Amino acid sequence: MSTDPQGANFAARLFEQLLPFQALDQLGHLWALCDGIYAMFQAVEELTAERDDGLSGWANMVDINACPSQYLPYLAQFVGAQVQPGLSDADQRAYIMSLPGFNRGRPETIISVVKATLTGSKFVDLQERASTAWRYTVVTRPSETPNPAATVAAIQSQKVGPDQFTHLLVEHATYGWLAGEYATYADVLAAYATYADLANATL
């Protein structure tokens, strides 16, 4: 709480407006009252302070670069998103800017929400139209998927209509993964010179 009646904050301005009563306040109760009121509105004043770029103070709450970390959940709701537990501040802002709510169900959004649950290189392979136009497969590495249930929940959050999905935990290449990743055998040969290269390949 502020302790300087001469300061420029809300408490000081309120105290100044009560000038006629200051002479009656011998014990400093008036300033304590103003300071107490300021405590309730301090966050509002800080968030709505005028900006150097000329924009109104309220712009702080809708500016992804200026919004304080604790208010990111409020900002995220404008694009239909929810902040993701465990992400760094920078990753949280990047996730909100990816517009997951506006782009729900799109391949890039599915990949984005899945990556938010992964570690390491955050490898994600999305194989669309697996047997039908409404089925897709999401492949992640077991070593980078600390909580498979969270990963499945992230995919589920992007499910629209009759879409169905399969989540595979695969560290090394499998025939199923190859079939979804490469159109022809020649494409596989172009990617892996020998069978040993393929057997030891990490996705």
Side-chain angles (χ1 to χ4, degrees):
M1 296 176 66
S2 173
T3 58
D4 181 12
Q6 304 306 314
N9 59 36
F10 177 81
R13 296 196 301 274
L14 179 59
F15 185 76
E16 183 178 357
Q17 293 176 19
L18 297 175
L19 180 62
F21 300 96
Q22 292 180 21
L24 304 176
D25 182 28
Q26 301 298 320
L27 300 177
H29 291 165
L30 185 61
W31 170 248
L33 173 64
C34 295
D35 202 32
I37 295 175
Y38 169 64
M40 295 186 290
F41 292 95
Q42 180 178 3
V44 175
E45 180 172 49
E46 292 174 351
L47 288 170
T48 57
E50 292 300 315
R51 294 160 53 109
D52 294 335
D53 56 11
L55 294 178
S56 299
W58 59 263
N60 294 321
M61 288 301 296
V62 291
D63 183 343
I64 190 64
N65 297 311
C67 183
S69 299
Q70 64 268 34
Y71 298 112
L72 287 177
Y74 170 82
L75 179 58
Q77 69 179 338
F78 285 99
V79 293
Q82 292 182 335
V83 294
Q84 302 297 303
L87 291 186
S88 67
D89 183 81
D91 287 344
Q92 202 75 265
R93 294 173 192 273
Y95 174 72
I96 295 172
M97 286 191 292
S98 72
L99 305 178
F102 288 176
N103 299 313
R104 182 168 177 256
R106 294 184 179 181
E108 60 271 18
T109 309
I110 296 172
I111 292 173
S112 176
V113 298
V114 169
K115 282 188 174 183
T117 69
L118 305 180
T119 60
S121 68
K122 299 180 181 291
F123 172 85
V124 180
D125 180 59
L126 175 62
Q127 301 170 6
E128 298 182 77
R129 297 175 176 82
S131 72
T132 74
W134 302 103
R135 178 175 291 277
Y136 57 92
T137 300
V138 179
V139 181
T140 63
R141 295 172 179 162
S143 60
E144 297 181 349
T145 312
N147 188 343
T151 301
V152 170
I155 303 172
Q156 185 70 33
S157 72
Q158 297 302 306
K159 185 178 177 299
V160 294
D163 287 5
Q164 299 294 322
F165 67 87
T166 300
H167 176 223
L168 297 180
L169 291 166
V170 180
E171 197 75 40
H172 297 279
T174 66
Y175 287 115
W177 180 80
L178 288 172
E181 192 71 12
Y182 299 99
T184 67
Y185 185 66
D187 293 335
V188 177
L189 288 177
Y192 303 99
T194 68
Y195 181 77
D197 292 337
L198 175 58
N200 296 319
T202 300
L203 300 185

